[in-house]
Amino acid sequence: MDQILDFGQPMGGIMQMAYIVPDIRQAIEQYRARLKTGPWFVIDHFPLFEAQYRGQPSEFDVSLALTYSGSMCVELIQQNNWQTPSVYTEVQAKRGWGFHHFGVSCRDFDADVAHYKALGHEMALYGVAGVGARAAYMDTSDALPGMIELIEMTDKTEAFFTMMKTAAENWDGSDPVRVLGG
């Protein structure tokens, strides 16, 4: 059996569903009211170091909101500088707002990137999150309804997702939006 991460998902499994939205705070309210999700953890101007969009350095600016429903993380993404090309602007131009990618946990990041490349999927985005974990969006849109984000599972990454899941499990409806440092 695959290793089960502290936030309830198996290593290598889908751990997140992500959506692009035009207004992250309005979207939080829509999701919260209709899906009863929360609390939402917001990171304005998410720091992504060494960002590369389709192999070229990029300075796109995004805000993220994350919450849990059971063991599934839901992520909302708002790009703050829509004039800058990115994986978000290309999907929005092609399909509009809505589903963008599946987040998949990985322990051997390089091997997983190589696996998707061997299947013919180009790396559309690469970056290093503030906790030091790498992430890559593999463009699987020719075979799936969106991209796959490979999320490197380090102790810090697992602790971050576990913190959000625990907060959702014990959420009493108070403090629905919690802003984290970017």
Side-chain angles (χ1 to χ4, degrees):
M1 182 171 181
D2 291 334
Q3 172 194 357
I4 302 297
L5 297 160
D6 290 343
F7 51 87
Q9 295 290 37
M11 177 62 74
I14 299 170
M15 57 173 274
Q16 179 186 83
M17 304 286 273
Y19 304 85
I20 51 174
V21 298
D23 183 319
I24 204 162
R25 283 172 170 74
Q26 182 182 49
I28 288 169
E29 287 309 307
Q30 296 291 339
Y31 280 63
R32 191 173 66 81
R34 288 166 179 79
L35 298 173
K36 300 184 182 358
T37 52
W40 286 87
F41 293 87
V42 175
I43 305 171
D44 286 311
H45 310 288
F46 179 76
L48 187 65
F49 304 101
E50 302 175 33
Q52 291 183 14
Y53 168 58
R54 302 221 178 257
Q56 299 300 314
S58 181
E59 294 189 16
F60 64 88
D61 174 23
V62 295
S63 294
L64 307 178
L66 301 108
T67 193
Y68 267 83
S69 178
S71 294
M72 181 59 63
C73 179
V74 176
E75 179 181 39
L76 304 176
I77 304 162
Q78 171 191 309
Q79 184 165 328
N80 300 311
N81 57 343
W82 277 100
Q83 73 282 6
T84 302
S86 73
V87 292
Y88 312 111
T89 60
E90 76 177 49
V91 169
Q92 198 282 333
K94 193 182 301 180
R95 293 195 325 254
W97 305 109
F99 181 75
H100 187 267
H101 68 264
F102 301 97
V104 174
S105 59
C106 62
R107 186 76 65 197
D108 189 338
F109 182 82
D110 295 324
D112 287 344
V113 167
H115 168 76
Y116 283 98
K117 284 184 174 181
L119 292 174
H121 303 297
E122 177 183 339
M123 183 188 297
L125 173 68
Y126 170 82
V128 179
V131 297
R134 297 173 291 171
Y137 285 48
M138 305 307 293
D139 190 350
T140 54
S141 58
D142 62 332
L144 298 172
M147 295 188 190
I148 290 178
E149 177 187 14
L150 297 173
I151 303 169
E152 185 175 38
M153 275 300 119
T154 65
D155 291 343
K156 288 181 179 180
T157 312
E158 188 171 359
F160 176 70
F161 283 98
T162 301
M163 176 276 298
M164 291 186 294
K165 180 180 184 270
T166 301
E169 288 171 344
N170 300 313
W171 188 49
D172 62 4
S174 63
D175 196 14
V177 178
R178 302 171 188 188
V179 178
L180 303 176

